[in-house]
Amino acid sequence: MARMDGSAWIRMDGSAWIRAHGSARLRVRRPLPALLLAIAVLGSALKDGGLVPDTPLQNKRNPLNVYFVKVAWAWTLWLLLPFIALTTYQLARRQFRYGRTKSALLVLRRLSALLVGTAVWYLCTELFVYVENLTGECSIQGKPGQPRRLYASKRECRQDSGVWNGFDISGHCFLLSYCAMMILEEVAVLEALSMDHSSKLRVVVNVLFVSLCSLTVIWVFMFLCTALYFHDFSQKLLGVLIGLSAWYGTYRFWYLKPFSPGLPLPNISLSSKKYSYSR
């Protein structure tokens, strides 16, 4: 049994397409956490200094926010699901020489990363709502002679046309940073993927890859808009720190363990003899 490193996988394919996309992913992934933190800090400074010009993007009803950011996890999930399934199965069958059953099980294992991501998204958003309800109070114009009502949540306050003032951790900064980092981790399989240039599968994977890259650009751009137009600095900073912590805790810690969804296949082969390549 001999283990093949990342460069060996690339040499197997010999394709400039694989090398270019793999190296590009690495160049983007490494500085992205620092870039997101810098955007949060500098964007907040510009916002607090009144240096941000008025644009349609400051309206929460702008199309990018309504049709993309509001359903950011759904977009990420729908594109990553077929991408992970197709690329993992292809690698397992052609390069790891697994049988169909074992390949299918490996696909299911890798797809469970999306269940983990869904759990992270749900738990964090529920935590943000809890914190905002716990720290807030309702500002509402009461009617003369009526006793002041105490509101337990933002929802109750808004139902009576009130304004809830609480510590609103930026869900956008959290989710956009987490989704962007997760996409960059999952497209790591392109460093190892070997396909025929004329195959239909290659076309599908290319389309999914371009779509995921475009989605990542949108997430980073809308992260910038959030930093420039919305939330206080502490709310944005805490949001992005939680997003990056969720990425680091999964892909840099938990997914290295045996009982986990595991890393994308090229990384698994480097860290586990269980997935070593048999010549």
Side-chain angles (χ1 to χ4, degrees):
M1 302 287 283
R3 185 183 303 177
M4 300 182 68
D5 60 16
S7 61
W9 281 115
I10 293 174
R11 287 194 300 270
M12 274 185 59
D13 182 76
S15 169
W17 184 86
I18 295 293
R19 290 195 298 269
H21 287 77
S23 61
R25 181 193 67 85
L26 289 173
R27 288 197 300 269
V28 172
R29 185 184 64 179
R30 288 171 180 171
L32 186 57
L35 176 63
L36 293 173
L37 288 170
I39 290 174
V41 173
L42 295 177
S44 297
L46 293 173
K47 176 178 180 290
D48 295 341
L51 301 176
V52 184
D54 292 336
T55 70
L57 293 170
Q58 70 189 85
N59 185 345
K60 293 182 178 180
R61 302 300 301 172
N62 73 77
L64 282 176
N65 194 56
V66 172
Y67 297 110
F68 284 91
V69 179
K70 291 292 185 181
V71 285
W73 181 246
W75 277 107
T76 303
L77 185 68
W78 292 338
L79 288 175
L80 277 180
L81 194 151
F83 182 84
I84 293 174
L86 290 173
T87 55
T88 301
Y89 189 82
Q90 179 77 358
L91 281 165
R93 291 282 289 163
R94 295 191 62 175
Q95 275 126 295
F96 284 88
R97 302 295 191 267
Y98 287 172
R100 291 182 179 180
T101 300
K102 193 172 183 179
S103 297
L105 290 175
L106 188 57
V107 169
L108 291 176
R109 178 188 176 186
R110 287 266 46 256
L111 286 177
S112 66
L114 299 179
L115 292 178
V116 173
T118 302
V120 169
W121 162 73
Y122 178 79
L123 292 174
C124 286
T125 51
E126 288 296 308
L127 174 63
F128 298 166
V129 171
Y130 175 77
V131 170
E132 189 176 11
N133 288 336
L134 186 66
T135 59
E137 61 180 8
C138 187
S139 297
I140 191 170
Q141 186 67 37
K143 296 180 180 180
Q146 285 188 344
R148 183 177 179 180
R149 177 184 171 185
L150 296 178
Y151 293 87
S153 68
K154 181 179 182 178
R155 178 178 295 182
E156 292 180 4
C157 178
R158 286 188 168 180
Q159 285 176 347
D160 285 353
S161 302
V163 177
W164 187 262
N165 300 308
F167 189 77
D168 183 16
I169 301 173
S170 177
H172 283 183
C173 286
F174 152 71
L175 187 57
L176 295 176
S177 59
Y178 182 57
C179 286
M181 293 305 303
M182 186 173 183
I183 289 173
L184 292 182
E185 290 288 351
E186 292 298 338
V187 298
V189 294
L190 290 181
E191 296 174 37
L193 196 60
S194 175
M195 293 180 293
D196 297 332
H197 288 273
S198 60
S199 69
K200 293 181 179 179
L201 178 61
R202 185 186 181 95
V203 174
V204 174
V205 171
N206 279 349
V207 170
L208 288 171
F209 174 74
V210 171
S211 300
L212 286 166
C213 288
S214 301
L215 199 62
T216 303
V217 172
I218 293 174
W219 293 162
V220 175
F221 176 72
M222 291 308 294
F223 184 95
L224 172 62
C225 293
T226 300
L228 291 173
Y229 293 112
F230 305 104
H231 293 281
D232 295 334
F233 169 66
S234 59
Q235 297 168 349
K236 287 178 282 195
L237 181 62
L238 189 55
V240 67
L241 286 176
I242 293 174
L244 293 177
S245 296
W247 155 71
Y248 192 89
T250 50
Y251 284 90
R252 289 291 178 271
F253 181 72
W254 182 29
Y255 290 179
L256 299 175
K257 308 298 181 182
F259 298 102
S260 74
L263 292 171
L265 284 185
N267 296 300
I268 289 176
S269 65
L270 294 175
S271 60
S272 175
K273 291 182 180 180
K274 180 180 178 181
Y275 294 99
S276 60
Y277 179 81
S278 178
R279 292 185 185 273

